[in-house]
């Protein structure tokens, strides 16, 4: 995807603070962190969002989710973290290349959605 921001990060066409990469995934710090630790895990391949995932992506999705706590711990999330995947307009997705947010730090994160 020529114009996809995160594909450009994958191709090193725009800079990012990468903290991990392998053949399938990369992880880098969010440019506008919501907490002291905030990084994104993305697949190298362009998938627009969770809605576009297919059965063939099962292993990739499993790998991303299983990898999240490992990298979170490495990055300093010793007592937990929040995992967010925003999807589509209602989900507030801004970059249409699938990504998992990992957000944490030392303090408890604010309540995400107020009920009632
Ligand atoms: P979304 O709302 O799509 O779930 O989240 C997109 C995230 O990407 C936001 O948290 C935003 O701060 C981050 N982001 C947007 N542009 C860039 C960029 O150029 N570099 C990095 N590292 N993060 C970005
Ligand atoms: Zn992309």
């Amino acid at each position: 995807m020529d114009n996809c921001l995160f594909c450009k990060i994958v191709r090193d066409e725009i800079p990012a603070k990468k903290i991990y990469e392998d053949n399938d995934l990369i992880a880098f710090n969010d440019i506008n962190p919501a907490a002291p630790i905030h990084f994104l895990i993305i697949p190298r391949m362009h998938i627009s969002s969770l809605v576009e995932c297919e059965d063939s992506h099962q292993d990739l999705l499993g790998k991303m989710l299983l990898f999240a706590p490992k990298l979170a711990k490495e990055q300093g999330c010793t007592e937990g973290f929040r995992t967010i995947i925003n999807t589509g307009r209602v989900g507030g997705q801004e970059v249409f290349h699938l990504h998992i947010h990992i957000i944490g730090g030392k303090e408890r994160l604010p309540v995400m959605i107020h009920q009632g």
Side-chain angles (χ1 to χ4, degrees):
M1 289 289 282
D2 288 354
N3 278 326
C4 169
L5 186 65
F6 287 176
C7 282
K8 288 182 181 172
I9 289 178
V10 168
R11 294 193 300 260
D12 284 323
E13 288 171 14
I14 60 169
K17 286 211 163 158
K18 289 188 185 172
I19 54 177
Y20 177 82
E21 56 187 318
D22 67 22
N23 287 338
D24 301 314
L25 312 177
I26 74 167
F28 53 90
N29 287 328
D30 197 291
I31 204 166
N32 185 21
I37 299 167
H38 185 172
F39 63 87
L40 307 173
I41 301 174
I42 73 167
R44 277 187 187 277
M45 68 160 58
H46 181 86
I47 304 170
S48 299
S49 83
L50 205 52
V51 168
E52 276 75 32
C53 286
E54 299 173 356
D55 289 352
S56 61
H57 298 128
Q58 182 166 319
D59 286 352
L60 182 62
L61 288 173
K63 180 170 174 173
M64 289 171 72
L65 213 47
L66 280 171
F67 180 58
K70 293 182 185 145
L71 191 56
K73 268 191 210 160
E74 252 181 60
Q75 292 296 307
C77 297
T78 52
E79 293 178 73
F81 55 89
R82 186 166 290 160
T83 309
I84 299 173
I85 303 175
N86 293 322
T87 303
R89 182 183 65 82
V90 170
Q93 185 175 2
E94 287 174 2
V95 178
F96 281 77
H97 180 127
L98 178 65
H99 52 281
I100 301 179
H101 294 255
I102 305 294
I103 301 171
K106 296 295 166 218
E107 306 300 325
R108 192 196 190 290
L109 295 167
V111 173
M112 192 163 52
I113 295 173
H114 290 277
Q115 289 175 308

